[in-house]
Amino acid sequence: MHRKIALALAVVVALVAVASAGIATAAKPTVVRAGTLVLKINGGVAPKRLPKNQMAPIALHISGNISTTDAAHPPAARLVIADFDRYGTVNAKGLATCRAGELEARPTGAAKAACRKAIVGSGKTTVRVAFPESAAFHSTGPLVLFNGGVKRGVTTMYIHAYVNVPVPTAIVTRVKIKRIRKGRFGTRAIARIPVIAGGSGSVTRFAMKIQRTFRHRGKRQSYLLARCADGRFFAKGSVAFTGGPRLVGTVVRGCRIRG
C-alpha cells in the first residue's frame, strides 16, 4: 500500500488554502510553468462577500490540472510548501478527530464510517501510472478529507484516496498546517510526498470542496474562516518534483468587503 500519495498536491499547493481562501474568486486558472511542466489551479470561496473586521465561515472549492507540453508522463511531486494570507485560518478546535490508522487499508465507505464526524471535505482525483513495461493508464477515485486534530499549535489534515494503481488501494496523506508570522502570510501548510506505484505514478487532476460546520461549547463553528480586510487575498507556494523540476508562484485574488 502506498501512503501519502501526491494527492496532497491538490490540497497543499493551494491548501487548502484551507487556511486562507488564498485562491478566492478566481475566474480563470492560475498557470505556473517550469520547463515542460505545467500546473493549472483554480478555485473560489463562498460567500464571496466577507466582513472586513471579523472572521466568517467559508467553503472552499479548488481544482487543478498537471500536464506537460510535450505529452510526456509528468514527474511526481515530492515536497509541497504553501503560505497563505493572514486574514484566514483553519479552526479545528472542538471538532471530532480521526487517526491515520483508522483510514489506512480501507475503501472510501469504510473510511467515512470510521471517522464520519471528522470529515471536512470531499472530491476526486486522477492518477496517471506509466510503468516502463506497459502502456500508461489513468485511474480516477474519490477523495475524503478528515480532521486529524490540533497539537502544540499544529493542525493535521488527512486526505484519504481510493484509486487503482493498478489494484484498488487506500492512500492516506498527512498535511501539517501551522501559523507563521511572515509579513502578509500567516499560515503554512507542508506535505512530504513519497513515491507512488514504485515511482511510476503521478497526479494529473484533482477537484475538491472543503466545508464543515460544527458545535463547540454550545456555539456554531466553521472549519474554515476568513475576512476581507483590504479586498485581496495572497498565497504563495512551491512544489518540488522528482528529477529536479520545481514550481514556484504567488497568487493574488480579490474579495468583496461586506458592509
Side-chain angles (χ1 to χ4, degrees):
M1 180 182 70
H2 302 285
R3 295 181 56 197
K4 302 180 184 175
I5 193 173
L7 301 170
L9 183 61
V11 180
V12 194
V13 161
L15 198 172
V16 192
V18 162
S20 67
I23 310 189
T25 64
K28 295 182 179 180
T30 295
V31 181
V32 184
R33 295 181 173 87
T36 61
L37 187 62
V38 181
L39 168 66
K40 295 181 181 180
I41 202 159
N42 206 347
V45 298
K48 294 181 179 180
R49 292 182 179 273
L50 295 167
K52 180 177 182 179
N53 298 313
Q54 62 187 41
M55 294 291 191
I58 62 167
L60 173 69
H61 299 262
I62 182 167
S63 61
N65 180 75
I66 302 166
S67 63
T68 57
T69 57
D70 58 1
H73 180 67
R78 280 285 164 265
L79 175 68
V80 183
I81 301 174
D83 292 344
F84 302 98
D85 204 295
R86 67 177 184 266
Y87 296 124
T89 191
V90 178
N91 172 42
K93 187 176 182 180
L95 178 60
T97 62
C98 186
R99 300 188 304 272
E102 296 178 278
L103 304 174
E104 295 166 355
R106 293 186 174 185
T108 302
K112 292 170 69 174
C115 294
R116 190 170 301 279
K117 293 183 179 180
I119 294 174
V120 295
S122 62
K124 62 181 179 179
T125 189
T126 298
V127 177
R128 187 178 193 268
V129 180
F131 292 117
E133 68 278 10
S134 59
F137 66 90
H138 291 83
S139 176
T140 298
L143 293 175
V144 185
L145 286 65
F146 298 88
N147 174 44
V150 183
K151 186 176 181 179
R152 296 176 183 173
V154 178
T155 298
T156 298
M157 173 189 287
Y158 293 113
I159 308 169
H160 179 279
Y162 199 67
V163 290
N164 293 312
V165 287
V167 298
T169 304
I171 303 161
V172 180
T173 300
R174 179 184 283 108
V175 180
K176 294 292 187 179
I177 308 162
K178 65 180 181 179
R179 299 295 294 176
I180 61 172
R181 293 183 179 182
K182 195 174 181 181
R184 180 73 185 218
F185 303 100
T187 302
R188 173 167 290 172
I190 301 175
R192 296 183 182 277
I193 319 302
V195 297
I196 308 166
S200 298
S202 300
V203 171
T204 56
R205 294 180 185 273
F206 52 83
M208 66 183 68
K209 176 183 179 181
I210 305 170
Q211 182 181 29
R212 176 62 195 274
T213 58
F214 58 100
R215 297 193 70 81
H216 178 53
R217 293 182 177 177
K219 295 183 179 180
R220 185 174 180 270
Q221 305 287 337
S222 174
Y223 184 68
L224 299 184
L225 297 165
R227 66 187 180 97
C228 185
D230 57 11
R232 297 179 297 172
F233 286 122
F234 290 77
K236 67 176 182 179
S238 67
V239 186
F241 291 83
T242 299
R246 184 175 180 177
L247 298 176
V248 179
T250 299
V251 178
V252 182
R253 292 288 184 259
C255 61
R256 300 175 185 176
I257 298 174
R258 189 170 72 201

